[in-house]
């Protein structure tokens, strides 16, 4: 997740991966959208899921299968904050992160500032375990 060298072209790939109307790899609309997509990837990737980066991710989806409690939510929020700082700290400044689990639904709210544009953004992510 590092910045390209001077003069190098950066290729930001849309998440989830798909093709655009021309049959080419889709790209995000702008840098702010790319950062939001990276944040979503990080939050919902479980450690060990990526072969070449086994420590990437923060395990939020495991919250859905654990008994819900304030202690568990605090632990997950701490883990998610640490992952965001490690993997996306060069792209954004984290303002607030909240994770809650209600039955089979995980809700995550994140407020952050994109470093390149200095734009504050808020993102809400919802994942539901299929029945």
């Amino acid at each position: 997740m590092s910045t390209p060298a001077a003069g190098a072209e950066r290729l930001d790939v849309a998440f989830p991966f798909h093709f655009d109307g021309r049959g080419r790899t889709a790209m995000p609309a702008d840098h702010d959208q790319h950062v939001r997509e990276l944040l979503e990837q990080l939050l919902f990737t479980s450690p060990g899921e990526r072969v070449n980066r086994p420590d990437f991710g923060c395990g939020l989806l495991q919250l859905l299968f654990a008994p819900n409690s304030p202690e568990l939510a605090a632990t997950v929020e701490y883990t998610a904050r640490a992952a965001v700082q490690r993997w996306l700290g060069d792209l954004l400044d984290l303002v607030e992160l909240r994770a809650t689990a209600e039955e089979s639904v995980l809700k995550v709210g994140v407020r952050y500032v994109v470093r390149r544009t200095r734009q504050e953004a808020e993102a809400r992510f919802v994942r539901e375990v299929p029945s």
Side-chain angles (χ1 to χ4, degrees), residues 20-21 42 52 54 57-58 66 70 75 94 123 125 129:
D20 64 15
L42 177 65
N52 292 326
C58 61
T75 300
L94 190 60
F125 306 102
V129 174

Side-chain angles (χ1 to χ4, degrees), residues 3-128:
T3 309
E9 184 177 334
R10 182 180 182 122
L11 176 64
D12 296 336
V13 177
F15 175 78
F17 181 83
H18 63 279
F19 297 105
D20 64 15
R22 299 175 296 173
R24 297 180 182 171
T25 300
M27 297 170 58
D30 56 29
H31 180 70
D32 290 358
Q33 178 66 27
H34 178 63
V35 171
R36 186 201 179 282
E37 291 174 355
L38 289 173
L39 182 60
E40 182 177 5
Q41 255 181 54
L42 177 65
L43 292 175
F44 294 106
T45 298
S46 295
E49 192 173 327
R50 290 199 170 175
V51 175
N52 292 326
R53 287 193 176 162
D55 52 345
F56 181 84
C58 61
L60 280 183
L61 291 178
Q62 295 169 353
L63 178 63
L64 289 173
F65 302 105
N68 199 5
S69 70
E71 294 80 13
L72 179 64
T75 300
V76 169
E77 287 176 11
Y78 176 80
T79 303
R81 280 189 184 103
V84 169
Q85 290 300 323
R86 177 177 181 195
W87 294 102
L88 302 178
D90 60 333
L91 299 174
L92 63 85
D93 292 319
L94 190 60
V95 175
E96 181 181 28
L97 187 145
R98 297 236 182 249
T100 59
E102 299 168 6
E103 297 183 13
S104 65
V105 178
L106 174 64
K107 297 177 183 178
V108 181
V110 184
R111 282 187 339 155
Y112 58 95
V113 176
V114 178
R115 286 188 172 198
R116 183 191 291 177
T117 62
R118 302 308 305 161
Q119 291 294 315
E120 185 167 328
E122 189 169 329
R124 297 189 189 285
F125 306 102
V126 177
R127 289 289 187 266
E128 186 170 353

